[in-house]
Amino acid sequence: MEFEIIAAGEEHTSYATQISELMQQAAKQRGTGIAKRTPEYIQEKISEGKAIIALQGKNLAGFCYIETWSHGKYVANSGLIVNPDYRGSGLGKRIKKAIFNLSREKYPEAKIFGITTSLAVMKINSNLGYKP
């Protein structure tokens, strides 16, 4: 499958509600503590240039955003979500790689980490070189 994986911009804020709903559905399905993110919060991350979006045509395929602490000294790649229609395609890993690159570009000196309870995301993180 072909995906466009890009830094999200203002033109992508219309996807915020769908992204928020996908996160809630994933948390419910997995029974995990994925933090609820409102559409407004997602829009804020997009507007700040702290998000990656994956599209297939105009269809939302996936999303991830950047959290920062201590004036950008610490960065977490958070909120990874892949539309159920595209799971198992390797898209999650591609989004995580893109958000890592965006994080490094925006915060070159930061310590980058991930916080997750998902085994699939832990595996992606490990494959990308994150250390537990």
Side-chain angles (χ1 to χ4, degrees):
M1 282 185 218
E2 291 296 317
F3 298 102
E4 181 181 22
I5 302 170
I6 55 173
E10 290 295 325
E11 67 275 21
H12 300 111
T13 57
S14 61
Y15 291 97
T17 298
Q18 189 179 1
I19 292 164
S20 179
E21 289 170 357
L22 276 176
M23 288 177 173
Q24 289 176 20
Q25 290 169 5
K28 194 176 201 179
Q29 288 171 347
R30 294 188 180 120
T32 60
I34 297 173
K36 182 179 179 185
R37 297 294 182 220
T38 64
E40 294 78 18
Y41 185 83
I42 300 296
Q43 287 176 342
E44 182 180 315
K45 290 296 176 186
I46 292 170
S47 295
E48 292 173 346
K50 294 181 177 180
I52 292 291
I53 193 164
L55 301 168
Q56 187 180 50
K58 295 203 181 271
N59 296 325
L60 174 67
F63 182 80
C64 194
Y65 64 88
I66 297 169
E67 286 284 5
T68 61
W69 292 271
S70 299
H71 306 288
K73 206 172 166 185
Y74 301 96
V75 171
N77 299 147
S78 298
L80 174 65
I81 192 68
V82 174
N83 184 316
D85 295 339
Y86 306 111
R87 289 184 186 150
S89 67
L91 180 59
K93 183 175 182 177
R94 292 174 60 197
I95 293 169
K96 283 291 277 192
K97 185 170 182 159
I99 198 70
F100 179 86
N101 290 339
L102 181 63
S103 298
R104 186 54 68 216
E105 178 184 312
K106 291 180 83 60
Y107 304 97
E109 302 300 319
K111 291 190 187 263
I112 300 174
F113 61 96
I115 302 170
T116 186
T117 58
S118 165
L119 291 176
V121 176
M122 284 190 255
K123 183 177 178 184
I124 290 169
N125 288 348
S126 179
N127 288 340
L128 291 172
Y130 287 67
K131 294 186 174 106

